Amino acid sequence: MTAVKTPVLWTTGAPGAGKSTTAWGLYTRIAESGGNVAYVDIDQLGLIGPPPGGGEASHAIKAANLLRVLEILRGRGARQLVVSGIVDPENGIEAYFEGRDFELTLIRLTCARDELRSRFLERGSPAAALPDLFAVAEAYDRTGFGERLDTTGQRPDETVDVLCRRCVVEDGPVLPPAAVEPLPGPVTVVTGPTAVGKSTAAFSALRDFWAQGEPVAYVDLAQFGFVHPGPDPAVEAAILAAVWRGYRDAGARRLLVVAREFRSEHRQVFDEIKVVHLDADAATLTERVRRRAEGESALLAGDELRGVPSGVRDGVVARALDEAARMRHSRDDRVVLDTSGQEPAETAAALLAAVRQ
């Protein structure tokens, strides 16, 4: 009897075409409808350096990690998988799926060049990058991978409406992932309350490692948690292990992990870890929540702060303060850095020094 293949809907296209917004909209729509679904941003599966790590090597690393992650999610019982991100404009992605138990639908989002330009600039990207943007768009048009969907003049929810009809919305049993064998490090985990500046500091440290030629990989654990029903620390741990294995195969010798909290399920992935915890006082956390809400950070899937009204912002501040107070009573073995009143560069420098000790 032929095994039923798990559907994968992948949105791709040039930066600004709406691939991440659309994919996230599909994931949330299916989850709200009770579907067993998972979402993966492929950009989160290729954060290894030092650059240059682009071209075929980068695409191959992402594709290999993606297939590892999709197998875990399929085994968990996902009825629909949603992926977003760039594919290799010269070679596509379809070949990686041949012989696998996945039914791939690759959707190439496009729009008129004037609208693409506006979308790109409105999300905060620099005007100096416009020639590169149009070069990518032209490469996609030339090779023609995937099914073309013109979104000119469409609102994001309208694009989601069109594609949701192509998705499976079904519930079903959730199965536990296989046990994870502990992996070697060195691994540094950066923890702390909401908006304390974990990602900003850790990514700055990562760039410093890359600048010095050190092969280091980076993981934002929150980006591995987009599963419904969820949350599920066990599946996050399984994905973390799979991606770190892929990065090690690609040459990484150190891993930086960002996590609000690093749970026992996550700890079991590694033989030995160093935890660096970022703390801050109430005034600093309140200010950093405001900055996040006003767009002073990279926009990632699941961001709860970008552009929210003041009432929602106040709720996040209250939660961040509660998290900080609770985390101060943790008895875990960790290095604590008080970042109160610091600018991002100061926190990044302190974190880098702690990692190198």
Side-chain angles (χ1 to χ4, degrees):
M1 185 175 180
T2 303
V4 176
K5 293 190 174 185
T6 303
V8 178
L9 192 146
W10 184 328
T11 54
T12 191
K19 52 189 178 294
S20 298
T21 301
T22 301
W24 180 254
L26 286 170
Y27 167 71
T28 55
R29 181 83 61 86
I30 296 169
E32 288 167 357
S33 300
N36 192 329
V37 62
Y39 165 65
V40 182
D41 177 354
I42 196 171
D43 290 341
Q44 299 296 320
L45 305 181
L47 295 172
I48 176 176
E56 287 188 34
S58 176
H59 289 298
I61 291 168
K62 291 178 182 179
N65 271 340
L66 177 66
L67 290 171
R68 293 182 179 98
V69 171
L70 294 184
E71 290 289 358
I72 291 168
L73 297 171
R74 183 178 189 276
R76 185 182 188 262
R79 295 291 196 267
Q80 176 71 57
L81 298 168
V82 180
V83 178
S84 67
I86 292 283
V87 302
D88 184 342
E90 300 301 326
N91 301 302
I93 194 68
E94 291 92 337
Y96 289 98
F97 283 82
E98 291 178 0
R100 300 275 184 165
D101 290 327
F102 300 105
E103 189 68 41
L104 174 67
T105 300
L106 181 64
I107 303 295
R108 177 168 49 92
L109 301 178
T110 68
C111 64
R113 290 295 188 265
D114 286 347
E115 187 165 330
L116 181 63
R117 182 183 189 278
S118 297
R119 293 181 186 180
F120 185 74
L121 296 177
E122 286 170 1
R123 71 180 200 174
S125 300
L130 284 171
D132 292 336
L133 167 68
F134 294 135
V136 172
E138 288 162 8
Y140 273 113
D141 289 345
R142 183 178 67 254
T143 53
F145 290 116
E147 301 178 32
R148 181 177 179 271
L149 177 60
D150 188 347
T151 65
T152 302
Q154 281 187 350
R155 299 190 312 271
D157 62 303
E158 292 176 317
T159 307
V160 171
D161 287 341
V162 170
L163 292 178
C164 202
R165 304 184 193 111
R166 311 277 301 270
C167 295
V168 174
V169 183
E170 293 179 355
D171 61 5
V174 173
L175 305 176
V180 174
E181 290 293 328
L183 297 169
V187 177
T188 301
V189 181
V190 184
T191 63
T194 299
V196 75
K198 303 179 293 294
S199 299
T200 300
F203 209 82
S204 178
L206 178 73
R207 289 196 300 266
D208 284 338
F209 279 119
W210 287 354
Q212 294 166 26
E214 299 183 46
V216 181
Y218 174 94
V219 162
D220 181 343
L221 192 56
Q223 297 295 306
F224 292 169
F226 300 130
V227 295
H228 184 270
D232 188 343
V235 81
E236 293 167 4
I239 293 173
L240 176 62
V243 172
W244 176 225
R245 191 174 292 111
Y247 283 150
R248 284 178 54 82
D249 290 348
R253 291 297 173 263
R254 180 188 294 272
L255 178 65
L256 294 178
V257 180
V258 171
R260 185 181 302 170
E261 294 185 81
F262 205 62
R263 302 169 62 115
S264 59
E265 294 90 342
H266 307 139
R267 290 176 178 272
Q268 293 172 7
V269 173
F270 306 110
D271 283 333
E272 182 179 355
I273 61 172
K274 170 188 277 188
V275 177
V276 181
H277 180 77
L278 305 187
D279 195 7
D281 60 23
T284 299
L285 284 175
T286 301
E287 174 63 12
R288 290 177 183 170
V289 167
R290 182 193 65 78
R291 290 184 179 183
R292 276 269 304 276
E294 293 178 357
E296 294 186 24
S297 63
L299 180 60
L300 297 174
D303 190 296
E304 62 182 342
L305 277 171
R306 181 71 64 93
V308 299
S310 59
V312 175
R313 186 189 309 179
D314 292 342
V316 175
V317 168
R319 192 186 74 212
L321 297 180
D322 286 344
E323 289 171 350
R326 176 171 49 82
M327 291 175 180
R328 290 181 191 121
H329 293 94
S330 172
R331 297 181 180 179
D332 292 340
D333 183 19
R334 59 186 182 167
V335 177
V336 178
L337 299 180
D338 185 352
T339 69
S340 300
Q342 289 183 346
E343 290 299 317
E346 297 176 278
T347 301
L351 173 60
L352 184 63
V355 172
R356 289 195 173 282
Q357 283 180 354

